[in-house]
PDB file of all heavy atoms in Angstrom:
ATOM      1  N   THR A 463       9.099 -25.636 -11.542  1.00  0.00           N
ATOM      2  CA  THR A 463       7.841 -26.164 -11.168  1.00  0.00           C
ATOM      3  C   THR A 463       7.300 -25.594  -9.842  1.00  0.00           C
ATOM      4  O   THR A 463       8.077 -24.909  -9.119  1.00  0.00           O
ATOM      5  CB  THR A 463       7.887 -27.697 -11.035  1.00  0.00           C
ATOM      6  OG1 THR A 463       8.752 -27.927  -9.931  1.00  0.00           O
ATOM      7  CG2 THR A 463       8.311 -28.388 -12.266  1.00  0.00           C
ATOM      8  N   HIS A 464       6.034 -25.842  -9.505  1.00  0.00           N
ATOM      9  CA  HIS A 464       5.543 -25.427  -8.243  1.00  0.00           C
ATOM     10  C   HIS A 464       6.406 -25.943  -7.123  1.00  0.00           C
ATOM     11  O   HIS A 464       6.697 -25.348  -6.112  1.00  0.00           O
ATOM     12  CB  HIS A 464       4.086 -25.847  -7.977  1.00  0.00           C
ATOM     13  CG  HIS A 464       3.104 -24.980  -8.772  1.00  0.00           C
ATOM     14  ND1 HIS A 464       2.743 -25.101 -10.032  1.00  0.00           N
ATOM     15  CD2 HIS A 464       2.380 -23.905  -8.348  1.00  0.00           C
ATOM     16  CE1 HIS A 464       1.889 -24.198 -10.463  1.00  0.00           C
ATOM     17  NE2 HIS A 464       1.629 -23.436  -9.383  1.00  0.00           N
ATOM     18  N   LYS A 465       6.809 -27.254  -7.301  1.00  0.00           N
ATOM     19  CA  LYS A 465       7.547 -27.933  -6.310  1.00  0.00           C
ATOM     20  C   LYS A 465       8.927 -27.256  -6.060  1.00  0.00           C
ATOM     21  O   LYS A 465       9.301 -27.137  -4.919  1.00  0.00           O
ATOM     22  CB  LYS A 465       7.753 -29.433  -6.715  1.00  0.00           C
ATOM     23  CG  LYS A 465       8.419 -30.329  -5.691  1.00  0.00           C
ATOM     24  CD  LYS A 465       8.125 -31.771  -6.167  1.00  0.00           C
ATOM     25  CE  LYS A 465       9.034 -32.667  -5.310  1.00  0.00           C
ATOM     26  NZ  LYS A 465      10.422 -32.770  -5.905  1.00  0.00           N
ATOM     27  N   ASP A 466       9.502 -26.827  -7.131  1.00  0.00           N
ATOM     28  CA  ASP A 466      10.831 -26.195  -6.980  1.00  0.00           C
ATOM     29  C   ASP A 466      10.701 -24.833  -6.253  1.00  0.00           C
ATOM     30  O   ASP A 466      11.527 -24.544  -5.385  1.00  0.00           O
ATOM     31  CB  ASP A 466      11.401 -25.791  -8.420  1.00  0.00           C
ATOM     32  CG  ASP A 466      11.703 -27.047  -9.235  1.00  0.00           C
ATOM     33  OD1 ASP A 466      12.184 -27.995  -8.636  1.00  0.00           O
ATOM     34  OD2 ASP A 466      11.537 -26.981 -10.419  1.00  0.00           O
ATOM     35  N   SER A 467       9.700 -24.029  -6.627  1.00  0.00           N
ATOM     36  CA  SER A 467       9.745 -22.660  -6.224  1.00  0.00           C
ATOM     37  C   SER A 467       8.544 -22.073  -5.589  1.00  0.00           C
ATOM     38  O   SER A 467       8.514 -20.926  -5.137  1.00  0.00           O
ATOM     39  CB  SER A 467      10.059 -21.808  -7.500  1.00  0.00           C
ATOM     40  OG  SER A 467      11.225 -22.194  -8.125  1.00  0.00           O
ATOM     41  N   TYR A 468       7.405 -22.850  -5.502  1.00  0.00           N
ATOM     42  CA  TYR A 468       6.204 -22.204  -5.037  1.00  0.00           C
ATOM     43  C   TYR A 468       6.226 -21.773  -3.564  1.00  0.00           C
ATOM     44  O   TYR A 468       5.669 -20.720  -3.133  1.00  0.00           O
ATOM     45  CB  TYR A 468       4.936 -23.042  -5.262  1.00  0.00           C
ATOM     46  CG  TYR A 468       3.723 -22.284  -4.893  1.00  0.00           C
ATOM     47  CD1 TYR A 468       3.290 -21.183  -5.532  1.00  0.00           C
ATOM     48  CD2 TYR A 468       3.025 -22.673  -3.719  1.00  0.00           C
ATOM     49  CE1 TYR A 468       2.226 -20.420  -5.127  1.00  0.00           C
ATOM     50  CE2 TYR A 468       1.927 -21.916  -3.318  1.00  0.00           C
ATOM     51  CZ  TYR A 468       1.551 -20.822  -4.047  1.00  0.00           C
ATOM     52  OH  TYR A 468       0.414 -20.064  -3.611  1.00  0.00           O
ATOM     53  N   LYS A 469       7.007 -22.490  -2.761  1.00  0.00           N
ATOM     54  CA  LYS A 469       7.090 -22.170  -1.351  1.00  0.00           C
ATOM     55  C   LYS A 469       7.566 -20.596  -1.087  1.00  0.00           C
ATOM     56  O   LYS A 469       6.938 -19.970  -0.356  1.00  0.00           O
ATOM     57  CB  LYS A 469       8.046 -23.085  -0.605  1.00  0.00           C
ATOM     58  CG  LYS A 469       7.930 -23.125   0.840  1.00  0.00           C
ATOM     59  CD  LYS A 469       8.655 -24.301   1.473  1.00  0.00           C
ATOM     60  CE  LYS A 469       9.001 -24.005   2.884  1.00  0.00           C
ATOM     61  NZ  LYS A 469      10.085 -24.925   3.294  1.00  0.00           N
ATOM     62  N   ASP A 470       8.616 -20.320  -1.817  1.00  0.00           N
ATOM     63  CA  ASP A 470       9.071 -18.930  -1.671  1.00  0.00           C
ATOM     64  C   ASP A 470       8.065 -17.913  -2.177  1.00  0.00           C
ATOM     65  O   ASP A 470       7.815 -16.868  -1.609  1.00  0.00           O
ATOM     66  CB  ASP A 470      10.347 -18.718  -2.487  1.00  0.00           C
ATOM     67  CG  ASP A 470      11.604 -19.367  -1.872  1.00  0.00           C
ATOM     68  OD1 ASP A 470      11.487 -19.597  -0.597  1.00  0.00           O
ATOM     69  OD2 ASP A 470      12.571 -19.697  -2.518  1.00  0.00           O
ATOM     70  N   ILE A 471       7.434 -18.267  -3.356  1.00  0.00           N
ATOM     71  CA  ILE A 471       6.439 -17.397  -3.921  1.00  0.00           C
ATOM     72  C   ILE A 471       5.313 -17.195  -2.880  1.00  0.00           C
ATOM     73  O   ILE A 471       4.772 -16.084  -2.636  1.00  0.00           O
ATOM     74  CB  ILE A 471       5.834 -17.933  -5.234  1.00  0.00           C
ATOM     75  CG1 ILE A 471       6.923 -18.114  -6.259  1.00  0.00           C
ATOM     76  CG2 ILE A 471       4.710 -17.089  -5.712  1.00  0.00           C
ATOM     77  CD1 ILE A 471       6.439 -18.728  -7.621  1.00  0.00           C
ATOM     78  N   PHE A 472       4.878 -18.311  -2.257  1.00  0.00           N
ATOM     79  CA  PHE A 472       3.768 -18.337  -1.337  1.00  0.00           C
ATOM     80  C   PHE A 472       4.119 -17.433  -0.090  1.00  0.00           C
ATOM     81  O   PHE A 472       3.310 -16.603   0.443  1.00  0.00           O
ATOM     82  CB  PHE A 472       3.459 -19.710  -0.880  1.00  0.00           C
ATOM     83  CG  PHE A 472       2.286 -19.857   0.100  1.00  0.00           C
ATOM     84  CD1 PHE A 472       1.018 -19.574  -0.341  1.00  0.00           C
ATOM     85  CD2 PHE A 472       2.523 -20.189   1.441  1.00  0.00           C
ATOM     86  CE1 PHE A 472      -0.066 -19.661   0.595  1.00  0.00           C
ATOM     87  CE2 PHE A 472       1.477 -20.275   2.328  1.00  0.00           C
ATOM     88  CZ  PHE A 472       0.191 -20.004   1.910  1.00  0.00           C
ATOM     89  N   MET A 473       5.324 -17.546   0.375  1.00  0.00           N
ATOM     90  CA  MET A 473       5.769 -16.782   1.565  1.00  0.00           C
ATOM     91  C   MET A 473       5.823 -15.273   1.231  1.00  0.00           C
ATOM     92  O   MET A 473       5.194 -14.482   1.911  1.00  0.00           O
ATOM     93  CB  MET A 473       7.183 -17.204   2.044  1.00  0.00           C
ATOM     94  CG  MET A 473       7.179 -18.496   2.772  1.00  0.00           C
ATOM     95  SD  MET A 473       6.055 -18.520   4.273  1.00  0.00           S
ATOM     96  CE  MET A 473       6.830 -17.218   5.306  1.00  0.00           C
ATOM     97  N   VAL A 474       6.491 -14.933   0.106  1.00  0.00           N
ATOM     98  CA  VAL A 474       6.665 -13.550  -0.133  1.00  0.00           C
ATOM     99  C   VAL A 474       5.397 -12.928  -0.754  1.00  0.00           C
ATOM    100  O   VAL A 474       5.123 -11.717  -0.633  1.00  0.00           O
ATOM    101  CB  VAL A 474       7.846 -13.236  -1.070  1.00  0.00           C
ATOM    102  CG1 VAL A 474       9.173 -13.689  -0.472  1.00  0.00           C
ATOM    103  CG2 VAL A 474       7.733 -13.714  -2.492  1.00  0.00           C
ATOM    104  N   GLY A 475       4.575 -13.737  -1.430  1.00  0.00           N
ATOM    105  CA  GLY A 475       3.402 -13.207  -2.130  1.00  0.00           C
ATOM    106  C   GLY A 475       2.084 -13.342  -1.386  1.00  0.00           C
ATOM    107  O   GLY A 475       1.142 -12.692  -1.742  1.00  0.00           O
ATOM    108  N   THR A 476       2.049 -14.234  -0.377  1.00  0.00           N
ATOM    109  CA  THR A 476       0.811 -14.399   0.330  1.00  0.00           C
ATOM    110  C   THR A 476       0.949 -14.178   1.798  1.00  0.00           C
ATOM    111  O   THR A 476       0.267 -13.277   2.377  1.00  0.00           O
ATOM    112  CB  THR A 476       0.196 -15.777   0.034  1.00  0.00           C
ATOM    113  OG1 THR A 476      -0.188 -15.769  -1.311  1.00  0.00           O
ATOM    114  CG2 THR A 476      -1.006 -16.065   0.884  1.00  0.00           C
ATOM    115  N   VAL A 477       1.817 -14.985   2.452  1.00  0.00           N
ATOM    116  CA  VAL A 477       1.920 -14.867   3.899  1.00  0.00           C
ATOM    117  C   VAL A 477       2.383 -13.525   4.398  1.00  0.00           C
ATOM    118  O   VAL A 477       1.755 -12.859   5.252  1.00  0.00           O
ATOM    119  CB  VAL A 477       2.888 -16.031   4.420  1.00  0.00           C
ATOM    120  CG1 VAL A 477       3.011 -15.915   5.959  1.00  0.00           C
ATOM    121  CG2 VAL A 477       2.335 -17.389   4.049  1.00  0.00           C
ATOM    122  N   ILE A 478       3.464 -13.096   3.806  1.00  0.00           N
ATOM    123  CA  ILE A 478       4.031 -11.779   4.287  1.00  0.00           C
ATOM    124  C   ILE A 478       3.090 -10.552   3.907  1.00  0.00           C
ATOM    125  O   ILE A 478       2.908  -9.729   4.755  1.00  0.00           O
ATOM    126  CB  ILE A 478       5.487 -11.591   3.792  1.00  0.00           C
ATOM    127  CG1 ILE A 478       6.304 -12.768   4.369  1.00  0.00           C
ATOM    128  CG2 ILE A 478       6.062 -10.306   4.270  1.00  0.00           C
ATOM    129  CD1 ILE A 478       7.739 -12.921   3.812  1.00  0.00           C
ATOM    130  N   PRO A 479       2.500 -10.546   2.707  1.00  0.00           N
ATOM    131  CA  PRO A 479       1.528  -9.522   2.480  1.00  0.00           C
ATOM    132  C   PRO A 479       0.308  -9.476   3.462  1.00  0.00           C
ATOM    133  O   PRO A 479      -0.148  -8.413   3.796  1.00  0.00           O
ATOM    134  CB  PRO A 479       0.997  -9.758   1.035  1.00  0.00           C
ATOM    135  CG  PRO A 479       2.239 -10.423   0.393  1.00  0.00           C
ATOM    136  CD  PRO A 479       2.830 -11.255   1.450  1.00  0.00           C
ATOM    137  N   VAL A 480      -0.048 -10.700   3.957  1.00  0.00           N
ATOM    138  CA  VAL A 480      -1.151 -10.712   4.952  1.00  0.00           C
ATOM    139  C   VAL A 480      -0.643 -10.057   6.240  1.00  0.00           C
ATOM    140  O   VAL A 480      -1.269  -9.220   6.852  1.00  0.00           O
ATOM    141  CB  VAL A 480      -1.673 -12.097   5.214  1.00  0.00           C
ATOM    142  CG1 VAL A 480      -2.550 -12.148   6.401  1.00  0.00           C
ATOM    143  CG2 VAL A 480      -2.395 -12.589   3.906  1.00  0.00           C
ATOM    144  N   LEU A 481       0.679 -10.301   6.618  1.00  0.00           N
ATOM    145  CA  LEU A 481       1.244  -9.619   7.774  1.00  0.00           C
ATOM    146  C   LEU A 481       1.283  -8.139   7.548  1.00  0.00           C
ATOM    147  O   LEU A 481       1.033  -7.356   8.507  1.00  0.00           O
ATOM    148  CB  LEU A 481       2.728 -10.065   7.893  1.00  0.00           C
ATOM    149  CG  LEU A 481       2.988 -11.428   8.530  1.00  0.00           C
ATOM    150  CD1 LEU A 481       4.497 -11.673   8.676  1.00  0.00           C
ATOM    151  CD2 LEU A 481       2.315 -11.537   9.864  1.00  0.00           C
ATOM    152  N   ALA A 482       1.517  -7.712   6.341  1.00  0.00           N
ATOM    153  CA  ALA A 482       1.586  -6.276   6.025  1.00  0.00           C
ATOM    154  C   ALA A 482       0.166  -5.665   6.166  1.00  0.00           C
ATOM    155  O   ALA A 482       0.116  -4.519   6.722  1.00  0.00           O
ATOM    156  CB  ALA A 482       2.067  -6.113   4.580  1.00  0.00           C
ATOM    157  N   VAL A 483      -0.852  -6.325   5.817  1.00  0.00           N
ATOM    158  CA  VAL A 483      -2.248  -5.776   5.991  1.00  0.00           C
ATOM    159  C   VAL A 483      -2.503  -5.672   7.508  1.00  0.00           C
ATOM    160  O   VAL A 483      -3.101  -4.582   7.972  1.00  0.00           O
ATOM    161  CB  VAL A 483      -3.323  -6.737   5.396  1.00  0.00           C
ATOM    162  CG1 VAL A 483      -4.659  -6.109   5.583  1.00  0.00           C
ATOM    163  CG2 VAL A 483      -3.050  -7.042   3.939  1.00  0.00           C
ATOM    164  N   ILE A 484      -2.140  -6.691   8.242  1.00  0.00           N
ATOM    165  CA  ILE A 484      -2.375  -6.591   9.650  1.00  0.00           C
ATOM    166  C   ILE A 484      -1.648  -5.365  10.274  1.00  0.00           C
ATOM    167  O   ILE A 484      -2.269  -4.632  11.047  1.00  0.00           O
ATOM    168  CB  ILE A 484      -1.907  -7.902  10.348  1.00  0.00           C
ATOM    169  CG1 ILE A 484      -2.782  -9.057   9.794  1.00  0.00           C
ATOM    170  CG2 ILE A 484      -2.025  -7.795  11.902  1.00  0.00           C
ATOM    171  CD1 ILE A 484      -2.352 -10.442  10.348  1.00  0.00           C
ATOM    172  N   THR A 485      -0.392  -5.207   9.868  1.00  0.00           N
ATOM    173  CA  THR A 485       0.379  -4.039  10.366  1.00  0.00           C
ATOM    174  C   THR A 485      -0.417  -2.720   9.996  1.00  0.00           C
ATOM    175  O   THR A 485      -0.489  -1.840  10.852  1.00  0.00           O
ATOM    176  CB  THR A 485       1.719  -4.025   9.676  1.00  0.00           C
ATOM    177  OG1 THR A 485       2.322  -5.281   9.769  1.00  0.00           O
ATOM    178  CG2 THR A 485       2.629  -2.981  10.283  1.00  0.00           C
ATOM    179  N   ALA A 486      -0.858  -2.633   8.768  1.00  0.00           N
ATOM    180  CA  ALA A 486      -1.489  -1.404   8.313  1.00  0.00           C
ATOM    181  C   ALA A 486      -2.766  -1.151   9.068  1.00  0.00           C
ATOM    182  O   ALA A 486      -3.080  -0.062   9.493  1.00  0.00           O
ATOM    183  CB  ALA A 486      -1.798  -1.473   6.791  1.00  0.00           C
ATOM    184  N   ILE A 487      -3.545  -2.251   9.348  1.00  0.00           N
ATOM    185  CA  ILE A 487      -4.796  -2.049  10.142  1.00  0.00           C
ATOM    186  C   ILE A 487      -4.467  -1.632  11.553  1.00  0.00           C
ATOM    187  O   ILE A 487      -5.110  -0.716  12.116  1.00  0.00           O
ATOM    188  CB  ILE A 487      -5.646  -3.349  10.145  1.00  0.00           C
ATOM    189  CG1 ILE A 487      -6.149  -3.685   8.723  1.00  0.00           C
ATOM    190  CG2 ILE A 487      -6.809  -3.221  11.034  1.00  0.00           C
ATOM    191  CD1 ILE A 487      -6.918  -4.922   8.549  1.00  0.00           C
ATOM    192  N   LEU A 488      -3.419  -2.176  12.153  1.00  0.00           N
ATOM    193  CA  LEU A 488      -3.057  -1.768  13.475  1.00  0.00           C
ATOM    194  C   LEU A 488      -2.723  -0.253  13.500  1.00  0.00           C
ATOM    195  O   LEU A 488      -3.136   0.467  14.419  1.00  0.00           O
ATOM    196  CB  LEU A 488      -1.892  -2.602  13.981  1.00  0.00           C
ATOM    197  CG  LEU A 488      -2.172  -4.007  14.393  1.00  0.00           C
ATOM    198  CD1 LEU A 488      -0.898  -4.789  14.797  1.00  0.00           C
ATOM    199  CD2 LEU A 488      -3.152  -4.019  15.510  1.00  0.00           C
ATOM    200  N   LEU A 489      -1.975   0.167  12.509  1.00  0.00           N
ATOM    201  CA  LEU A 489      -1.614   1.544  12.427  1.00  0.00           C
ATOM    202  C   LEU A 489      -2.866   2.439  12.327  1.00  0.00           C
ATOM    203  O   LEU A 489      -3.009   3.463  13.011  1.00  0.00           O
ATOM    204  CB  LEU A 489      -0.728   1.878  11.210  1.00  0.00           C
ATOM    205  CG  LEU A 489       0.754   1.450  11.385  1.00  0.00           C
ATOM    206  CD1 LEU A 489       1.515   1.607  10.064  1.00  0.00           C
ATOM    207  CD2 LEU A 489       1.412   2.208  12.485  1.00  0.00           C
ATOM    208  N   ALA A 490      -3.837   1.982  11.476  1.00  0.00           N
ATOM    209  CA  ALA A 490      -5.060   2.794  11.312  1.00  0.00           C
ATOM    210  C   ALA A 490      -5.804   2.908  12.584  1.00  0.00           C
ATOM    211  O   ALA A 490      -6.427   3.971  12.882  1.00  0.00           O
ATOM    212  CB  ALA A 490      -5.946   2.152  10.244  1.00  0.00           C
ATOM    213  N   THR A 491      -5.811   1.793  13.345  1.00  0.00           N
ATOM    214  CA  THR A 491      -6.554   1.838  14.630  1.00  0.00           C
ATOM    215  C   THR A 491      -5.978   2.821  15.666  1.00  0.00           C
ATOM    216  O   THR A 491      -6.654   3.323  16.532  1.00  0.00           O
ATOM    217  CB  THR A 491      -6.722   0.480  15.337  1.00  0.00           C
ATOM    218  OG1 THR A 491      -5.360  -0.055  15.471  1.00  0.00           O
ATOM    219  CG2 THR A 491      -7.542  -0.509  14.529  1.00  0.00           C
ATOM    220  N   ILE A 492      -4.670   3.120  15.512  1.00  0.00           N
ATOM    221  CA  ILE A 492      -4.140   4.163  16.458  1.00  0.00           C
ATOM    222  C   ILE A 492      -4.058   5.482  15.731  1.00  0.00           C
ATOM    223  O   ILE A 492      -3.334   6.416  16.104  1.00  0.00           O
ATOM    224  CB  ILE A 492      -2.723   3.740  17.002  1.00  0.00           C
ATOM    225  CG1 ILE A 492      -1.721   3.356  15.917  1.00  0.00           C
ATOM    226  CG2 ILE A 492      -2.839   2.592  18.036  1.00  0.00           C
ATOM    227  CD1 ILE A 492      -0.303   3.314  16.436  1.00  0.00           C
TER     228      ILE A 492
END
Side-chain angles (χ1 to χ4, degrees):
T463 60
H464 281 85
K465 185 162 167 279
D466 294 324
S467 306
Y468 184 67
K469 193 166 157 201
D470 287 338
I471 300 179
F472 182 70
M473 284 303 296
V474 302
T476 291
V477 177
I478 301 172
V480 169
L481 285 183
V483 183
I484 297 174
T485 311
I487 294 177
L488 286 176
L489 284 174
T491 53
I492 55 168

